[in-house]
Amino acid sequence: MAATHRTATGTVIAAVCVASLAACGTGADSAGEQTRGQEKAEPAPAPKNVVRLIGDGSTAYTGAQPHLPRPKRLKPGEKPPQFVAFSWDGAGEDGQKLFSHFRKVARENNATMTYFLSGVYLLPEDKRDLYRPPQHSPGRSDIGFNDQQGIADTVKQLRLAWLEGNEVGTHFNGHFCGSAGGVGEWSVADWKEEIAQAKRFVKTWKTNSGMKNSAPLPFDYDKELIGARTPCLEGQENFMKAARELGFRYDTSGVNNQLWPQKKEGLWDLSMQLVPFPGHSFEQLTMDYNFMVNQSGATTQGDPAKHEMWGDQMRDGLLQGFERAYRGNRAPLIIGNHFESWNGGTYMRAVEEVIETVCNKSDVRCVSFRQLADWLDAQDPATLAKLRTLGVGEAPKKGWTSFLAGGPAPAPKGAPGSPAAKG
């Protein structure tokens, strides 16, 4: 089953995304909504009342992002906080209104998140030929495109999310998986072209949708975009080469154990992780899709009598992974999801219960990938090297004060363990 985790079949995701985006409703959130800070640190100043439009006015420079805490370097002997990063692939607002719902959940539970936007969710169906995907004909997309209402609703959620301190990343565009032109076969040049188009659709959504009098997105996407997750976790090697050359700061397209992050290809490797899978002898990737595949197989709506149990399995597996890190090496927990209703929405319920359980603890920081990368960059490299010597669930034998008291880091032990065999 290891291959299943890395090459989750895009056709299932595509079918759900196309269907859900065809019936988009209007959001009901106020532009004045704000989130609480994530760290006991002085927040960045709110944007001044100066808006500088960019290009056709689809985006704008509005100053520093509000509610973005300044990272602090650990003091000698200080125990690291427990980071948890929740993220959403393909983030768009449709008739399910899950984007707006989880913004509310985040605000109520001291959390910020990363929303990986699919660029084609800001491109109307009648302009589909503007998308020229690598190794495919113009206008092709495995997740479809959008309509005006869906674009308006998605832009509204992106705007509010950013103003609340959340991050807008990218899930690229057409979500091509597998063979015959899938992203796993793309060259570095192909990835650069795909990234350029993902940016272009965000920077020209007003022109493409005809909604020229709408409010802009309050950020410069060329500067906002610093990380991504590839479709089906494929094509990571060439994507990372392209991303490094384009100035990205992190990638989350692989499979890791619960260890402290390190850099690969000059980017922070913030890939999702393997955590316990209750009732099974193997571990499971921290993503709703992968739990579903190992519970109901290729169908997104399996036996209704098992929906509650399946959601509980995901919730309990994520919480067991959290406790293993929280009481052990304090490695950041990386979780990925989709705005979907697979198996009756049981995974959305599971994620919400995890957020409510962990994010209000005083020494837990539920953050975006940008905030996590900022914190990692602020640390003493020797401290991070020491943290990486701790195995999965391994707490310092003599306590944190002694372990991080200062002095040279011990020689790395390597990366204990490997992804558990799937059965």
Side-chain angles (χ1 to χ4, degrees):
M1 294 292 292
T4 301
H5 293 315
R6 293 177 179 270
T7 59
T9 52
T11 53
V12 176
I13 295 176
V16 173
C17 291
V18 172
S20 61
L21 279 169
C24 297
T26 56
D29 297 278
S30 166
E33 291 168 340
Q34 295 180 342
T35 188
R36 292 181 287 164
Q38 280 71 46
E39 291 192 7
K40 294 181 179 179
E42 182 183 355
K48 297 178 181 179
N49 294 323
V50 176
V51 175
R52 187 170 73 243
L53 297 178
I54 301 171
D56 71 350
S58 293
T59 57
Y61 176 76
T62 59
Q65 184 177 8
H67 308 292
L68 195 65
R70 291 191 176 96
K72 291 185 177 181
R73 177 173 287 201
L74 287 175
K75 299 174 183 177
E78 183 181 1
K79 187 177 186 178
Q82 176 63 57
F83 290 103
V84 185
F86 291 93
S87 56
W88 302 91
D89 285 9
E93 177 82 337
D94 58 23
Q96 301 173 101
K97 301 188 184 302
L98 288 168
F99 196 156
S100 51
H101 174 75
F102 276 97
R103 277 186 44 245
K104 180 174 182 289
V105 171
R107 291 195 309 274
E108 293 174 346
N109 291 280
N110 202 28
T112 53
M113 303 178 180
T114 294
Y115 299 98
F116 289 119
L117 172 68
S118 291
V120 292
Y121 287 178
L122 298 188
L123 187 64
E125 177 74 28
D126 61 2
K127 297 289 183 68
R128 63 184 300 154
D129 286 348
L130 292 176
Y131 178 38
R132 297 180 176 269
Q135 302 189 27
H136 293 278
S137 58
R140 168 80 187 279
S141 167
D142 279 357
I143 56 172
F145 295 87
N146 215 333
D147 57 23
Q148 278 207 339
Q149 188 64 62
I151 293 171
D153 292 343
T154 295
V155 167
K156 178 178 181 178
Q157 296 308 315
L158 292 169
R159 182 186 302 119
L160 294 170
W162 188 84
L163 290 171
E164 293 162 353
N166 299 284
E167 176 190 10
V168 181
T170 187
H171 200 44
F172 308 99
N173 298 300
H175 209 286
F176 301 106
C177 301
S179 58
V183 298
E185 300 176 351
W186 286 6
S187 67
V188 173
D190 287 338
W191 277 112
K192 287 183 177 180
E193 175 58 26
E194 178 77 348
I195 293 166
Q197 293 191 77
K199 288 184 176 182
R200 187 181 310 132
F201 298 144
V202 174
K203 295 189 291 183
T204 60
W205 68 267
K206 281 191 181 184
T207 296
N208 293 333
S209 68
M211 293 182 281
K212 295 185 179 180
N213 294 325
S214 299
L217 289 169
F219 50 79
D220 179 347
Y221 201 45
D222 285 325
K223 296 179 179 178
E224 171 68 12
L225 185 54
I226 62 167
R229 181 175 294 129
T230 65
C232 306
L233 309 188
E234 296 176 1
Q236 183 186 35
E237 183 178 357
N238 281 343
F239 161 67
M240 291 184 74
K241 292 176 182 177
R244 182 191 64 225
E245 294 177 18
L246 293 173
F248 280 40
R249 293 175 57 200
Y250 73 84
D251 170 64
T252 176
S253 305
V255 177
N256 285 340
N257 284 299
Q258 287 184 269
L259 302 170
W260 277 89
Q262 58 186 334
K263 285 190 174 183
K264 290 172 56 177
E265 295 285 344
L267 280 68
W268 286 110
D269 178 10
L270 304 180
S271 294
M272 292 176 293
Q273 300 157 332
L274 293 163
V275 294
F277 189 10
H280 297 269
S281 60
F282 58 90
E283 298 208 322
Q284 175 66 278
L285 191 64
T286 51
M287 176 171 264
D288 51 6
Y289 179 84
N290 298 83
F291 276 89
M292 180 193 73
V293 167
N294 278 300
Q295 291 166 335
S296 61
T299 177
T300 63
Q301 298 299 331
D303 184 356
K306 296 181 179 179
H307 287 176
E308 183 176 4
M309 178 193 71
W310 286 337
D312 289 350
Q313 280 185 324
M314 178 176 172
R315 177 200 62 202
D316 294 346
L318 294 178
L319 289 177
Q320 287 177 32
F322 169 82
E323 290 293 335
R324 184 164 67 181
Y326 185 60
R327 302 183 186 283
N329 61 5
R330 284 289 174 110
L333 178 62
I334 311 298
I335 298 172
N337 298 285
H338 302 78
F339 291 139
E340 44 71 14
S341 57
W342 299 328
N343 285 325
T346 194
Y347 307 112
M348 297 296 91
R349 185 261 302 175
V351 173
E352 186 167 341
E353 290 178 358
V354 171
I355 293 169
E356 292 170 346
T357 300
V358 308
C359 293
N360 294 297
K361 296 179 182 293
S362 62
D363 51 351
V364 172
R365 306 287 181 260
C366 289
V367 298
S368 67
F369 286 120
R370 173 186 288 275
Q371 292 173 27
L372 179 54
D374 286 347
W375 188 89
L376 291 168
D377 282 337
Q379 303 312 304
D380 183 342
T383 297
L384 293 180
K386 275 189 176 182
L387 291 171
R388 284 193 286 270
T389 66
L390 296 171
V392 174
E394 180 187 0
K397 292 181 174 59
K398 296 183 179 180
W400 285 102
T401 300
S402 174
F403 185 68
L404 293 180
K413 298 178 183 177
S418 58
K422 306 296 178 287

